[in-house]
Amino acid sequence: MLLILLALLTCWLPAPSQAATSGSVRVVQIGFAGPLSGSSARIGKSQMHAAELALAEANARGATIGGEPVIFKLLPQDDRGDPNTAALVATYLVKSGVVAVIGHWHTGASMQAASIYNTAGIPQIAPGSSGHQYTQNGYATSFRIIGHDDDGGRFASVYALQNLKARRIAVIHDETTFGTMLAAQFIRGVQDKGGEIVTQQLISSKTSDFNAALMESGKKSADLIFFGGLGPQAAALVLSMRRMSITAPLLAADGIVSPLFLQLTGTGGNGTFGLAPGQPQEKMTGWKKFQEKFNATYDDPIEAFAPFAYDAANMIVAAIQQTNSQQPARINAALHSMKYKGLTGTIAFDAEGNLNNPAFTIYQVQSGKWTAVQAYGKK
């Protein structure tokens, strides 16, 4: 009967403004914040679905706090990948009584929301947000479940010089916090190892006109183009490179390693390189089981950041059960001391809230598929 009750409550949960209990079963709300609309919507929705799946599994196992049965409910909000909207979303989630938040994906969004969560004492685990500044804010409530760009930019520069043998590199990046800082870390890594950056071009994160930047790269005889920006724009960039007969390969990061990139570029994406956080998915412990459950539940493809949202949700549930409490302060303290074995590997945080011992993987589009070609770090 309890399982039947849990299933019914999962379908008919009260709105945030209503009481957080129903009968003898307490509802524990966990917030999700990410881009559910706009160019990054597929990535955000994939993360949301992964978090929903983790909570559904926890509810199926059954959970109690203080001897009372509870169910976990995800409260998703669309931050549109925009820092100002992220602040509004964070305020709403705090007022709604969430005990923790999975989010945000964009670094700028996480940075804008972090102070709001910190003031409320609510832990925030970002399943993206690779800009290092996010966890350099001094907030004890800020966590990141992937590696940051100081490491990512360094690994990308190593691959560019050692594996691709690039000697004249053009850098194109957008004006966002993520794009600017990723490009800066990549440039520093290249120059520290004796490589040459022949041009650095700044573009709008909303433009589809790359002609000027690509023409300058061609004039400088660049043998590699590095892009600091998001996946959908990287797809437009590589198609522009094909139209302009630029033969230098493209190396990019973050959301580029995605089914959406392959869909947008078709055969034009072949040869592109992408850096993504974590180990290759097929090497993740429990990947096949996660993949089967996700595909059986949702029609959307699994984006590269979905496993990290899945682990973030599971880690919050584990912290709640470990402390036998839904008090955010106790959950936060538990997260700082936990060593959790998840889908993406062993997860533990340093004093700043960064992931200890992060892994990264370089992929290449080969015959229309992303194929892992080099792994860095270890979990």
Side-chain angles (χ1 to χ4, degrees), residues 61-350:
R61 293 192 299 268
T64 61
I65 296 177
E68 298 180 6
V70 299
I71 61 171
F72 300 104
K73 167 67 175 177
L74 193 72
L75 179 57
Q77 291 294 301
D78 180 12
D79 68 11
R80 305 178 186 177
D82 172 68
N84 293 327
T85 305
L88 296 175
V89 163
T91 300
Y92 173 79
L93 290 175
V94 169
K95 289 182 177 179
S96 297
V98 299
V99 300
V101 174
I102 303 161
H104 300 233
W105 187 59
H106 294 79
T107 297
S110 277
M111 291 177 66
Q112 192 77 0
S115 63
I116 298 170
Y117 298 130
N118 185 67
T119 298
I122 294 174
Q124 168 194 6
I125 303 182
S129 301
S130 57
H132 196 176
Q133 313 95 300
Y134 159 58
T135 48
Q136 291 178 313
N137 54 28
Y139 299 148
T141 53
S142 297
F143 300 89
R144 186 202 329 268
I145 208 164
I146 65 168
H148 56 67
D149 288 338
D150 288 14
D151 292 326
R154 176 168 54 87
F155 290 137
S157 66
V158 168
Y159 190 80
L161 297 176
Q162 295 185 359
N163 297 73
L164 299 181
K165 308 299 182 184
R167 291 298 175 263
R168 297 179 58 81
I169 303 172
V171 174
I172 301 173
H173 66 88
D174 65 24
E175 80 285 3
T176 65
T177 303
F178 159 70
T180 300
M181 296 309 298
L182 175 63
Q185 294 300 327
F186 175 80
I187 290 171
R188 181 179 304 170
V190 168
Q191 293 175 338
D192 285 349
K193 298 173 184 64
E196 182 181 4
I197 303 297
V198 295
T199 184
Q200 182 178 348
Q201 299 290 315
L202 176 65
I203 62 168
S204 166
S205 60
K206 297 177 175 61
T207 190
S208 58
D209 181 3
F210 309 101
N211 289 344
L214 290 176
M215 286 178 65
E216 186 64 22
S217 300
K219 288 179 183 178
K220 298 294 185 178
S221 301
D223 54 14
L224 175 68
I225 296 175
F226 178 83
F227 178 60
L230 298 179
Q233 195 173 31
L237 174 59
V238 78
L239 291 177
S240 294
M241 292 170 60
R242 300 295 179 260
R243 286 195 297 270
M244 296 176 68
S245 300
I246 293 176
T247 57
L250 177 71
L251 171 61
D254 243 54
I256 188 173
V257 183
S258 159
L260 178 59
F261 178 87
L262 302 177
Q263 179 183 331
L264 293 174
T265 58
T267 58
N270 286 333
T272 302
F273 294 90
L275 174 76
Q279 57 188 319
Q281 292 177 339
E282 61 273 12
K283 292 187 178 181
M284 294 179 180
T285 302
W287 167 253
K288 186 175 180 180
K289 183 179 179 181
F290 168 78
Q291 183 182 41
E292 289 174 350
K293 285 189 174 181
F294 191 103
N295 290 338
T297 308
Y298 304 104
D299 293 330
D300 300 329
I302 302 174
E303 296 287 343
F305 286 85
F308 300 99
Y310 179 80
D311 274 352
N314 276 318
M315 200 169 186
I316 291 169
V317 169
I320 291 171
Q321 294 180 320
Q322 176 179 307
T323 60
N324 196 31
S325 170
Q326 64 179 49
Q327 295 300 316
R330 297 186 66 182
I331 297 168
N332 194 72
L335 290 173
H336 275 285
S337 62
M338 286 177 67
K339 191 172 184 180
Y340 179 79
K341 291 185 178 180
L343 173 64
T344 61
T346 300
I347 303 166
F349 302 108
D350 65 15

